[in-house]
Each structure stands twice: as C-alpha cells, then as structure tokens.
C-alpha cells in the first residue's frame, strides 16, 4: 500500500523546504521529496549569498527559522548603484523607508542547512532525501507518486502534489505544462572575495560594459561577488588565474573600496527565464523556480518563491482543522489568481532590467547614468524601487500579518 499524505512536496530546495515545514506546522501530514542529499553531507557548498527581503524575513520568522539564521545574517542598510565610466549614481537607504534594514544577506548553504535541519525535526513531516520523482499518476481524489530506485510498493499517495522542483521541474513535465523560455546568453560567476575598505551594511552594484557586477556583504571584509558576463566569455572568467580575475574586478570597481583579494571558489550559473504557462493542474500546484525562474539581477527569485509559500500556506492553513481537501480545484484556482499580479510585476521588473543592461548601444551607457541620477534625485521613484526590492509591493496574507504584528 502506498504511504498516505495530505501533501507531497517534490523538491525540498529553499522554497519546497520552507513550504513543507509550514504545512506540517499547520497540522497537515506532509512528505518532502528531494533527489539531493542533506546539505550537511555535501562537500563544497553553494558559495552564493542570498539577499532576503523583508517579506522573506517575515515568513522565516513566522516559521521560527529566522533566529536560527541570525548568527550568519548581514543586514543591508544601503545599496549603492553606479555605472563604470559614467558620472553619477544612486543610493538607496533603509532610513528612507523607515525600516532598520533593506534586507539581509544569508550564505546560501547556511539557509539550506538550517531548512534541512528543520525538515528532519518537524513533527508530521516525512523528509525523503536521495529520492527523485520517477512517475506520477493522477486519480480523481488523489495523486500517486513513485520514486526512482524505490521498491514498487514504496509509492506515496496524496491529495495535493506541490512542484517545488526547480527550473526543470519533473512535475511540470509529468503534467505537460509548457514553460515560456528565454536564454539571456549570460552567466553569473559567483565567488567570495575580500575588499580592504569594506563599508559595513552596504551592497554595491556596478554597471559595466560586459554586464552588472554586485558585491554583497558577508561580514567583516568578506563579500559575495556576482559578476554577470556574456555566456561565451564564462569559461575564460572561470579559467583566469586568481590574480588576473581580481585585477579585472578591480578595474570595474576602481580603488574606492580598496584592494580586492582572497578570491574563493568560482561557480557559474547560466541565466535563463522560465515561466510556467499554468500554475495549477488537477491536484497539483507549482511554486518557486518551477513556476518562475528569473534573472538574479534584482535578487528577487527566492523572495518571490517565499511569497508563493506564504500565500499557499494561507490557502491551505484551514485544511487540517476543517478536514478540507487541499487539492480541491477551486482552492488551487484561487491561489493562482492571488499570485498572478506579483508574478507578472516581478518577472517584468527583473526581465526588463536584464534586457536593458544586455544592450550595447553607444548612447545607452549615458542613458543608464542619467537614469541613476534621476533615481537619486526623485525620492518617490527611489522609494518605489526600494519597496519592490523589499518585497513590500504585494500585501502579505492575513496569517503572516498576524504572525509579525507583534514584531
Ligand atoms: C547567481 C544567483 C544568485 C541569486 N541570488 C538571489 C538573491 O540574492 N535573492 C533571491 O531572492 N534570489 C536569488 N536567486 C534566485 C534563487 O536562487 C532561486 O529563486 C531559488 O533558489 C528558488 O528556489 P526553489 O526551491 O524554487 O528551486 P531550487 O533551489 O532549484 O530547488 C529545487 C529542488 O528540487 C530538487 N529536485 C529537482 N528535480 C527533482 C526531482 N525530479 N525529484 C526530486 N527532487 C528534485 C533539487 O534537488 C532542488 O533541491 C539567485 C539565483 C542565482 C542563479
């Protein structure tokens, strides 16, 4: 007999793990299935630093995870944006929006290992690591899932399957949901570096001829460098000696931040846009990268995914108490409708920026410089950009508002 659950979350990455933990806390019987091993067992982690917006902080706090992340979090109180070779720039400050921080940087492997620990210790939650989805059969009142390499009788049955299995979602393919795809032909090279004159609590974005380059503070002099380069140059950037790589970065940023040194391991991330053409299917819902994989230029992907999680938790929170069916079609349709505007706005914002920065017209550099000066001079525009970056453009669901009302 298959093991029975209310919900099976396929993919226990950053979004799927947070969702599974939340569902179990609301009293639902949940399995979280992931092809990977827990982060603690993996050599050579993810070197990214993820910018968590205020909206994500509120969700993670409501799930009691924020205090566990706190020792490794670095607040961002200022974001400085400037264009190489052009006058002017723009500075976004937390005090302009009356909040203590615009967001926090969290090392990606610390976030995933904190989530993995919670997955393994939350009552009502069955984590299944090293288990890839192999087969999915939709029946009228349930979905049956079989995992690769498992015994035929080791199937799972649930009333709702949640696709949190990333950009190439297997659940999405099983349901034959098409995705709109665009390859930016860019690669983000991510590495940790030291800068001699680190500015506390400040993130920097430098617009250069080959693409934007960001520095995110990790505490002390350590920074996460995210360098966007044309795809055809990625191998050259990865193979360059540490000295040559750092010399190029130094040229991009100049000497205002002091000498760049201490280059860590470099990782390449090809950048694409993938948008599922539907968010739901019979007894299924897509969240996070499975629904929208976006360009990381505005650090919105995970924050958007965690807003999916917050709203889906809101849609399902009563099911345990009332015995409601989590996979009911009207419930899923209502969820999709609630997420429509935020998805459209966020994708448009990051995609628009990506296409603008990719263009290489002679006068565009001047136009970008002028846009930064305008942004700096217009407090209303600056505040609107900041609210978007902080994830405050969309109102939070009621359960979450109640959870942070006492903050
Ligand atoms: C360079 C870079 C920097 C970024 N910086 C930021 C940032 O600062 N802030 C921000 O908000 N976002 C950022 N993002 C985006 C962010 O990383 C993603 O939005 C986020 O990881 C999405 O999480 P997810 O859980 O939906 O998907 P994923 O993280 O892709 O997780 C999917 C999970 O599903 C599992 N899986 C896949 N297939 C199967 C299967 N068949 N069976 C079982 N399991 C499966 C995988 O093992 C994985 O664990 C960045 C992205 C990049 C590339």
């Amino acid at each position: 007999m298959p093991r029975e659950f209310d919900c099976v979350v396929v993919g226990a990455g950053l979004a799927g793990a947070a969702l599974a933990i939340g569902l179990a806390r609301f009293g639902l019987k949940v399995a979280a299935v992931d092809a990977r091993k827990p982060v603690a067992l993996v050599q050579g982690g993810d070197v990214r630093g993820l910018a968590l917006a205020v909206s994500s902080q509120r969700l993670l706090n409501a799930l009691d995870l924020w205090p566990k992340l706190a020792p490794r979090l670095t607040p961002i109180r200022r974001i400085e944006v400037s264009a190489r070779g052009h006058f002017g720039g723009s500075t976004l400050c937390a005090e302009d929006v009356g909040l203590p921080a615009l967001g926090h940087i969290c090392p990606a492997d610390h976030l995933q290992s904190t989530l993995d620990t919670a997955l393994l210790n939350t009552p009502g939650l069955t984590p299944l690591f090293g288990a890839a989805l192999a087969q999915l059969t939709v029946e009228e009142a349930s979905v049956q899932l079989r995992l690769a390499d498992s015994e035929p009788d080791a199937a799972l049955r649930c009333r709702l399957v949640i696709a949190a299995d990333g950009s190439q979602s297997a659940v999405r393919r099983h349901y034959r949901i098409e995705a709109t795809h665009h390859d930016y032909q860019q690669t983000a090279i991510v590495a940790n570096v030291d800068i001699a004159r680190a500015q506390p609590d400040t993130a920097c974005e430098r617009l250069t001829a080959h693409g934007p380059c960001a520095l995110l503070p990790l505490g002390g002099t350590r920074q996460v460098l995210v360098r966007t380069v044309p795809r055809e140059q990625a191998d050259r950037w990865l193979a360059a000696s540490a000295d040559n790589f750092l010399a190029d970065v130094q040229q991009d940023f100049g000497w205002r931040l002091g000498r760049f040194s201490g280059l860590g391991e470099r990782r390449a991330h090809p950048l694409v846009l993938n948008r599922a053409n539907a968010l739901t299917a019979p007894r299924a819902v897509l969240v996070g990268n499975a629904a929208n994989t976006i360009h990381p230029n505005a650090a919105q992907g995970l924050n958007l995914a965690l807003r999916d999680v917050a709203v889906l938790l809101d849609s399902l929170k009563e099911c345990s108490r009332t015995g409601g069916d989590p996979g009911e079609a009207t419930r899923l349709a209502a969820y999709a409708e609630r997420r429509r505007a935020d998805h459209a706005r966020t994708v448009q914002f990051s995609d628009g920026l990506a296409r603008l920065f990719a263009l290489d017209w002679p006068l565009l550099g001047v136009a970008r410089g002028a846009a930064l000066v305008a942004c700096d001079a217009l407090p209303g525009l600056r505040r609107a950009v900041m609210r978007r970056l902080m994830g405050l453009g969309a109102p939070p669901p009621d359960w979450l508002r109640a959870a942070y009302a006492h903050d």
Side-chain angles (χ1 to χ4, degrees), residues 108-304:
D109 57 356
H110 179 56
L111 178 55
Q112 189 71 68
S113 74
T114 303
L115 287 163
D116 285 2
T117 305
L119 280 176
L120 293 164
N121 293 292
T122 301
L125 173 48
T126 304
L128 297 167
F129 286 107
L133 175 68
Q135 197 183 326
L136 186 152
T137 313
V138 187
E139 293 155 5
E140 195 184 322
S142 64
V143 178
Q144 190 157 315
L145 301 100
R146 235 178 32 75
L147 307 178
D149 302 328
S150 64
E151 298 296 317
D153 61 354
L156 314 177
R157 196 198 298 276
C158 61
R159 290 187 289 170
L160 174 64
V161 60
I162 296 157
D165 50 350
S167 200
Q168 302 305 318
S169 171
V171 176
R172 201 177 65 210
R173 282 201 308 275
H174 278 286
Y175 274 97
R176 298 185 194 287
I177 298 175
E178 299 285 323
T180 304
H181 177 79
H182 175 74
D183 189 334
Y184 291 109
Q185 296 296 331
Q186 296 170 349
T187 297
I189 312 268
V190 184
N192 292 181
V193 294
D194 287 306
I195 51 174
R197 283 203 289 274
Q199 312 179 80
D201 314 341
T202 302
C204 299
E205 176 101 5
R206 188 87 167 142
L207 310 179
T208 75
H210 51 75
C213 196
L215 276 177
L216 309 172
L218 280 179
T221 56
R222 208 66 180 149
Q223 312 277 314
V224 182
L225 173 76
V226 185
R227 187 147 217 236
T228 307
V229 299
R231 179 80 44 79
E232 68 275 9
Q233 294 177 14
D235 287 345
R236 177 167 72 73
W237 286 101
L238 288 169
S241 70
D243 284 350
N244 287 345
F245 184 92
L246 286 174
D248 264 326
V249 177
Q250 186 84 60
Q251 273 198 343
D252 279 348
F253 278 94
W255 288 90
R256 199 173 58 86
L257 302 173
R259 180 178 292 283
F260 282 68
S261 62
L263 179 68
E265 184 192 347
R266 279 163 269 177
R267 290 280 180 99
H269 298 263
L271 302 182
V272 298
L273 171 69
N274 261 337
R275 288 204 78 189
N277 293 349
L279 281 189
T280 64
R283 300 206 163 271
V285 60
L286 276 56
V287 299
N289 269 17
N292 296 286
T293 302
I294 62 176
H295 196 291
N297 49 15
Q300 291 297 299
L302 176 61
N303 294 307
L304 181 68

Side-chain angles (χ1 to χ4, degrees), residues 60 91 100 104 109 124 131 141 172 201 233 252 289 322 361 369 382 388 402:
L60 294 166
T91 303
H104 289 78
D109 57 356
R172 201 177 65 210
D201 314 341
Q233 294 177 14
D252 279 348
N289 269 17
T322 61
W361 299 338
R382 222 170 49 236
R388 171 67 50 81

Side-chain angles (χ1 to χ4, degrees), residues 70-86:
R72 303 276 309 272
L73 293 171
T74 307
I76 302 181
R77 300 202 167 87
R78 283 162 65 85
I79 303 177
E80 293 180 356
V81 189
S82 59
R84 187 179 167 193
H86 294 281

